[in-house]
Amino acid sequence: MTDTFTTRTIDVTTGSAETVHDLTSACAGFLRETARGRDGLLNVFTPHATAGLAVIETGAGSDDDLLEALRSLLPADDRWRHRHGSPGHGRDHVLPALVPPHATLPVVGGELALGTWQSVVLVDTNRDNPRRTARLSFLA
């Protein structure tokens, strides 16, 4: 089974501010080591109740636009029943319903088959947790 399924956990430092953290190069590096020219699927999963994964364009303002949209949809105020942590932290627990904690992506010839402007990103609005993990799993 080791020839058809390989998995690894990576550590991600997101800091103390809302962030969109690009995982694309980590995913590509993992596939270089594990896919070895094969076709398959890459599953990316973050085991956190307050973070999610997305496939978006980065570097042209879309990452900031995503955070702004989330602030609009999920304001950090006192409306949330889940109240521990920073003010408005309850919204961080709703985030994975909108930005899921997983993404499954095609791998062709050992490389991530993303569109020209697409990147795989970890979305973290929880300022209380500066360290995250992501599990990368390749299935051939």
Side-chain angles (χ1 to χ4, degrees), residues 4-12 21-35 41-47 53 101-105 107 112 120-122 133-139:
T4 60
F5 181 80
T6 307
T7 189
R8 174 179 305 151
T9 301
I10 60 171
D11 295 317
V12 179
H21 184 88
D22 196 336
L23 299 175
T24 310
S25 63
C27 292
F30 171 71
L31 290 172
R32 274 191 299 279
E33 294 176 26
T34 60
L41 295 172
L42 174 68
N43 181 266
V44 185
F45 175 75
T46 187
L53 295 159
H102 57 86
T104 301
L105 307 161
V107 177
L112 203 51
V120 182
V121 299
L122 177 84
T133 60
R135 176 166 296 281
L136 309 179
S137 301
F138 175 68
L139 178 63

Side-chain angles (χ1 to χ4, degrees), residues 10-129:
I10 60 171
D11 295 317
V12 179
T13 301
T14 56
S16 60
E18 297 175 345
T19 190
V20 173
H21 184 88
D22 196 336
L23 299 175
T24 310
S25 63
C27 292
F30 171 71
L31 290 172
R32 274 191 299 279
E33 294 176 26
T34 60
R36 299 182 305 278
R38 296 177 294 168
D39 295 348
L41 295 172
L42 174 68
N43 181 266
V44 185
F45 175 75
T46 187
H48 299 285
T50 59
L53 295 159
V55 177
I56 64 168
E57 177 182 9
T58 59
S62 297
D63 33 2
D64 290 332
D65 289 342
L66 174 57
L67 291 174
E68 186 57 40
L70 290 171
R71 282 184 209 109
S72 178
L73 289 169
L74 304 170
D77 58 22
D78 63 357
R79 74 183 69 203
W80 308 102
R81 289 182 182 98
H82 187 107
R83 294 183 185 257
H84 76 83
S86 298
H89 174 66
R91 67 140 184 177
D92 299 328
H93 287 274
V94 176
L95 173 76
L98 301 175
V99 183
H102 57 86
T104 301
L105 307 161
V107 177
V108 178
E111 296 184 8
L112 203 51
L114 293 173
T116 302
W117 304 112
Q118 290 180 315
S119 296
V120 182
V121 299
L122 177 84
V123 181
D124 187 0
T125 59
N126 182 358
R127 298 177 311 239
D128 296 337
N129 189 350

